[in-house]
Amino acid sequence: MSREVVAIIDFGSQYGQLIARRVREHKVYSQIYQPSVKIEKLAQLGVKGIILSGGPASVYAENAPMCDPRIFELGVPVLGICYGMQIGSKILGADIAPAESREYGRTAIDISDTSDLFKNLPDHTTVWMSHGDQVNQLTDDFESLATTSTCPFAAVRHKNGIFYGVQFHPEVTHTPRGADILKNFLYDICGCAGDWQMSDFVEETIAKVQEQVGDATVICGLSGGVDSAVTAALLHKAIGDQLVCIFVDNGLLRKNEREGVESMFGGHFKIDLHTVDWGKQFLEKLAGVTDPQEKRKIIGAEFIEAFKSESDKIENAKFLAQGTLYPDVIESGNKDGNLAANIKLHHNVGGLPEQLGFELVEPLRDLFKDEVRLVGEYLGLPEDMVWRHPFPGPGLAVRVLGDITEDKLAILREADDILIEEIKAAGLYRQISQALAVLLPVGTVGVMGDERSYEHVIALRCVETTDFMTADFSHVPHDVLGRIASRIINEVRGVNRVVYDVSSKPPATIEWE
C-alpha cells in the first residue's frame, strides 16, 4: 500500500519527535531519520517533503551533525527549523553566525510575506524561539519572509521554492499558529493530500507481521497496560493462535493487577496466557538498591530470567513482541546514533539479549501513545483498557523512591488505588493523561490522635498531555485533592502527609525516577 511520507531528519532536538507527531495530526505519515540518511533511501521512499529539525549544536562546531548535502537534489520541498534552517541555508550558501542577542522563549514576529508558508496568518504573531546562532547574511537566491526585533531572517524562502527556513519552533504549543504553518508546508507547498488513516497503519502492520513471522510462534510480553494490550490484540488479529502471551508477576504491580490481566486476556479474549510468579526473586535482587537506573537494570535482567523460565517451554517460539513506542526509543537515548540526551533507561528497548534467541517484533515502535489508543479503538478493545493510564515497565519500583520493601510497596499500592478510584469518581480520569502516587524516602512529623507520629509522605502526580513528550500538571480541584489526601492518611497505615506535584515536563519528567 503506497502512502505519502514526510521525512524528519533529527539533529538531536528535544522536539524532534514532536515534529513527527504534529505532521501526523495533519493526516500525513511522518518518519524520523538520522542525519546520516542518504538521499537514495529517501528517494526510494518517494518522500513528499523533508523537515530538518532543530538541535543543540552550532553549525560551525567540530563534529556538528550534518545531513547529506545532496538533499536538495531530490526536488521535494525542505523545511528547516532552527538548527535545520541554519544547516539548509549554509548548504545553499548563506552565512551563519552567533546572534548578537540570543532569543529564548516567546517572541513577537513580523511577517512580510503571507503567500505560502504563512498563508492566512496575521502580519504580527507570537512564536517560540530557542537559538544562539542565526542566519547572518543571505545570498540573492533567498527571500526574507519574517523578522523579529533582533533576528532579520526569522523565516526565509529560497527563490526556487525548494527550501523554507524558520528560526523558531512551529511544532510547540507555545507558537499559537504553528499548526497552521506546518499545515501550509504540508498541503500547499508539498502537495500532500492528508489521507493517512490509522486503519492504514493497522492493515500495513498486519501484513508486515505476517511476512516477518511466517508460521512461527510469537510470544508477547504482556503487562496489562495499553501498549502491550494493543500489541497483543494487533498480533492476535494478524496471526491468531500463533500468539502466546507471557505475564510476569514481578511483585511490583498495582493492586489487583494480576487478577485483572488474567481475567481479561486469558478469560475474555481467550488468548493463550502464561503467568510467571517471580515476585520473590525480583524483591531479593532489589533489596537495598536505591539508584533508579540500577533498579531498572536489575528489573530488566531479572525479567529476562523470569521470561526465559517460561518461554523455554513454548515450542516453535522464534519471535518476541513488545509494545515499544516512539517516546520509549527517544528517552532511552543514543539508540542507533540518536543525538538526543539520555534521560532514563527503558528495559524493553534496544533488542533482546542473545541468550533468549528471539527476533524482536515491535509493531507499535513508530507510534505515539495517543495513536496507540486509536489503534486499540479500531481493534475493538474495551474503553477502560484503551484509556488506561500508562504504567512503567519497572512498576512500583520507580515510584518507591529509595530502597524497596514489601511494607513500602503495600503502602504505595493502597495510596495509588485510592488516587485512581477518586479521580474516576470525580469524572477526571479521561481528562488526566497519567496519575500516580509516589512514596518519598523521608518521614515527617504529624499528630495521629493524641500522639506524635513520624511516618511516610505520599506525593501525588497528575499530568495532561497528548504525546507524553511534553506535559503540564493537572489542575485537579482542591476538594478532590483534599478528599484523596484525607482518605490516604486515614486509610493507609504509615502515611501522615500527602503533597501534590505541580511541575511540568520539561524540565521534570512524568515519573519521579
Side-chain angles (χ1 to χ4, degrees):
M1 180 185 297
S2 62
R3 63 182 175 192
E4 297 174 332
V5 178
V6 167
I8 316 296
I9 297 183
D10 184 10
F11 293 101
S13 170
Q14 61 178 316
Y15 303 127
Q17 301 305 308
L18 194 54
I19 298 171
R21 183 67 195 93
R22 296 297 181 240
V23 171
R24 294 185 193 182
E25 286 175 355
H26 292 296
K27 296 186 177 181
V28 177
Y29 186 74
S30 60
Q31 186 66 53
I32 304 293
Y33 295 94
Q34 295 301 310
S36 58
V37 65
K38 299 299 182 184
I39 66 166
E40 288 83 3
K41 182 172 183 178
L42 298 178
Q44 186 178 19
L45 289 169
V47 295
K48 295 281 288 185
I50 298 170
I51 298 178
L52 309 179
S53 84
S58 167
V59 294
Y60 289 114
E62 186 177 357
N63 299 321
M66 168 66 76
C67 62
D68 190 329
R70 301 174 297 156
I71 191 170
F72 297 106
E73 295 177 15
L74 286 171
V76 300
V78 178
L79 172 64
I81 295 174
C82 200
Y83 181 88
M85 172 187 178
Q86 296 162 19
I87 283 288
S89 299
K90 183 173 181 285
I91 291 173
L92 293 170
D95 180 57
I96 315 298
E100 292 185 8
S101 299
R102 297 184 177 187
E103 291 180 303
Y104 294 98
R106 289 185 175 87
T107 303
I109 190 171
D110 297 317
I111 299 172
S112 57
D113 187 324
T114 57
S115 62
D116 47 19
L117 189 64
F118 296 113
K119 189 177 76 172
N120 297 326
L121 264 71
D123 293 338
H124 309 284
T125 186
T126 302
V127 297
W128 184 261
M129 288 281 195
S130 179
H131 70 98
D133 294 343
Q134 65 186 31
V135 175
N136 182 52
Q137 186 173 353
L138 294 174
T139 68
D140 292 339
D141 292 327
F142 282 91
E143 300 168 319
S144 175
L145 303 181
T147 63
T148 71
S149 59
T150 61
C151 184
F153 306 115
V156 299
R157 175 181 60 218
H158 196 272
K159 288 183 178 179
N160 64 10
I162 206 167
F163 178 67
Y164 293 77
V166 293
Q167 190 57 68
F168 55 88
H169 290 276
E171 70 274 19
V172 301
T173 56
H174 302 307
T175 299
R177 301 299 297 271
D180 297 320
I181 296 169
L182 289 175
K183 183 179 179 181
N184 288 338
F185 176 72
L186 296 170
Y187 288 6
D188 295 330
I189 297 173
C190 295
C192 294
D195 55 4
W196 182 67
Q197 305 286 342
M198 195 53 65
S199 57
D200 298 336
F201 170 83
V202 172
E203 297 307 318
E204 289 175 9
T205 302
I206 286 174
K208 287 180 181 178
V209 169
Q210 291 171 340
E211 181 180 0
Q212 180 183 5
V213 308
D215 61 358
T217 296
V218 178
I219 299 174
C220 179
L222 191 63
S223 70
V226 177
D227 306 336
S228 66
V230 173
T231 298
L234 185 55
L235 290 173
H236 196 249
K237 184 176 178 65
I239 59 174
D241 293 340
Q242 290 174 242
L243 175 68
V244 176
C245 289
I246 295 179
F247 174 69
V248 176
D249 184 347
N250 58 12
L252 305 166
L253 305 174
R254 282 176 160 175
K255 187 175 181 180
N256 300 323
E257 186 82 18
R258 174 172 173 170
E259 294 80 1
V261 169
E262 291 177 334
S263 173
M264 178 60 67
F265 291 94
H268 178 72
F269 286 115
K270 307 300 182 184
I271 291 176
D272 187 4
L273 175 65
H274 299 213
T275 299
V276 183
D277 193 346
W278 210 264
K280 180 180 178 182
Q281 291 91 324
F282 274 92
L283 294 182
E284 285 177 351
K285 291 291 179 67
L286 288 166
V289 177
T290 59
D291 180 75
Q293 297 290 63
E294 189 62 25
K295 288 180 184 179
R296 290 177 181 271
K297 290 178 181 177
I298 289 172
I299 292 169
E302 199 60 32
F303 175 83
I304 295 297
E305 293 300 316
F307 192 89
K308 192 173 187 301
S309 72
E310 190 65 29
S311 64
D312 284 347
K313 304 173 186 177
I314 300 172
E315 296 183 0
N316 197 34
K318 298 180 181 179
F319 298 88
L320 175 68
Q322 293 184 159
T324 307
L325 307 188
Y326 241 161
D328 296 335
V329 176
I330 291 305
E331 291 196 350
S332 293
N334 301 317
K335 168 68 174 163
D336 297 329
N338 196 321
L339 302 170
N342 184 3
I343 299 171
K344 64 183 177 183
L345 296 174
H346 287 260
H347 73 268
N348 65 330
V349 177
L352 295 170
E354 292 182 1
Q355 67 263 31
L356 281 181
F358 291 119
E359 184 179 336
L360 201 59
V361 178
E362 295 176 306
L364 308 180
R365 188 181 177 89
D366 293 333
L367 296 187
F368 296 93
K369 178 69 71 172
D370 56 322
E371 293 176 318
V372 173
R373 297 190 196 281
L374 293 176
V375 172
E377 290 181 335
Y378 177 78
L379 294 172
L381 290 176
E383 181 179 348
D384 286 348
M385 179 175 292
V386 171
W387 291 98
R388 186 178 188 268
H389 288 180
F391 188 63
L396 297 180
V398 291
R399 294 181 180 177
V400 172
L401 306 195
D403 66 311
I404 299 168
T405 66
E406 287 274 21
D407 289 343
K408 290 180 180 179
L409 289 168
I411 289 172
L412 184 56
R413 279 194 190 95
E414 294 301 324
D416 175 82
D417 190 58
I418 290 171
L419 168 63
I420 300 302
E421 184 178 297
E422 287 296 333
I423 63 173
K424 284 183 175 179
L428 298 173
Y429 191 78
R430 285 283 295 270
Q431 175 184 323
I432 295 170
S433 305
Q434 186 170 353
L436 57 124
V438 181
L439 184 68
L440 304 187
V442 295
T444 63
V445 174
V447 178
M448 306 291 280
D450 294 327
E451 297 183 356
R452 180 179 181 274
S453 66
Y454 191 75
E455 296 182 320
H456 292 287
V457 180
I458 290 288
L460 306 178
R461 176 86 158 129
C462 299
V463 299
E464 295 175 16
T465 179
T466 57
D467 49 45
F468 289 85
M469 299 300 291
T470 61
D472 292 320
F473 72 88
S474 299
H475 294 265
V476 179
H478 288 179
D479 61 325
V480 177
L481 286 175
R483 190 158 56 247
I484 295 169
S486 178
R487 282 195 59 192
I488 290 174
I489 292 171
N490 287 315
E491 298 176 26
V492 183
R493 186 175 296 275
V495 177
N496 69 358
R497 191 179 300 272
V498 175
V499 298
Y500 189 61
D501 183 348
V502 295
S503 53
S504 295
K505 177 186 180 181
T509 53
I510 295 176
E511 296 286 347
W512 278 45
E513 285 192 344

